[in-house]
């Protein structure tokens, strides 16, 4: 793992979201512990990890004809949906979680530019 590159990529995400990134962490799937981050929140990492595991379990149990693997999870919180939680499965060992302020970040930029650009580069840095 190249932590220097991982941190540089998270800094690029912060720049790309133009002040809308509240926090960002790459964390272990097994422990939920952060390995790199911007305004890290250890509790959030652990909770996002548990949330993803429970969503996958529920999907598997549902019997729906959908994949039982979560690539990206996006949740908008609150009545106004100003905060979005994004969790991306990166490798068999790591996930990437973000809290995004939707009043500042453009979601089109996040979904169409930032995620497709940074995901493969993060995966490579985590090898």
């Amino acid at each position: 793992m190249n932590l220097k590159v991982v941190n540089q990529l998270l800094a690029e995400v912060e720049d790309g979201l133009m002040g809308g990134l509240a926090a960002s962490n790459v964390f272990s799937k097994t422990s939920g512990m952060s390995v790199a981050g911007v305004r890290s929140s250890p509790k959030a990492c652990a909770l996002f990890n548990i949330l993803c595991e429970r969503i996958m379990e529920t999907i598997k149990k549902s019997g729906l004809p959908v994949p039982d693997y979560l690539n990206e999870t996006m949740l908008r919180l609150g009545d106004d949906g100003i905060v979005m939680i994004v969790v991306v499965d990166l490798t068999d060992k790591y996930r990437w979680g973000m809290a995004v302020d939707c009043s500042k970040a453009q979601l089109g930029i996040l979904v169409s530019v930032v995620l497709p650009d940074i995901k493969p580069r993060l995966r490579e840095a985590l090898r």
Side-chain angles (χ1 to χ4, degrees):
M1 173 188 323
N2 189 333
L3 280 178
K4 181 179 178 183
V5 172
V6 171
N7 281 307
Q8 288 171 345
L9 291 170
L10 295 180
E12 279 187 44
V13 171
E14 185 171 30
D15 290 342
L17 293 179
M18 299 169 281
L21 183 67
S24 179
N25 288 273
V26 173
F27 54 91
S28 166
K29 287 183 179 181
T30 56
S31 67
M33 298 291 291
S34 176
V35 295
V38 174
R39 290 179 289 287
S40 294
S41 173
K43 288 180 183 178
C45 292
L47 291 172
F48 295 164
N49 201 41
I50 291 168
L51 177 67
C52 286
E53 292 299 323
R54 294 222 174 123
I55 290 172
M56 284 192 301
E57 288 172 16
T58 303
I59 289 171
K60 287 177 185 177
K61 291 177 183 177
S62 73
L64 293 172
V66 297
D68 59 3
Y69 174 79
L70 292 177
N71 184 25
E72 296 172 3
T73 305
M74 297 181 180
L75 304 167
R76 290 195 71 173
L77 306 177
D79 290 338
D80 51 10
I82 288 180
V83 176
M84 177 178 272
I85 302 301
V86 180
V87 182
V88 179
D89 222 12
L90 292 172
T91 69
D92 59 336
K93 294 181 182 179
Y94 299 102
R95 288 189 172 111
W96 169 30
M98 291 180 281
V100 178
D101 181 342
C102 297
S103 69
K104 296 178 182 174
Q106 294 181 12
L107 295 183
I109 297 291
L110 173 66
V111 173
S112 301
V113 178
V114 173
L115 290 175
D117 176 45
I118 299 295
K119 269 194 321 186
R121 294 165 60 201
L122 268 176
R123 286 181 174 137
E124 184 61 33
L126 291 167
R127 291 182 197 257

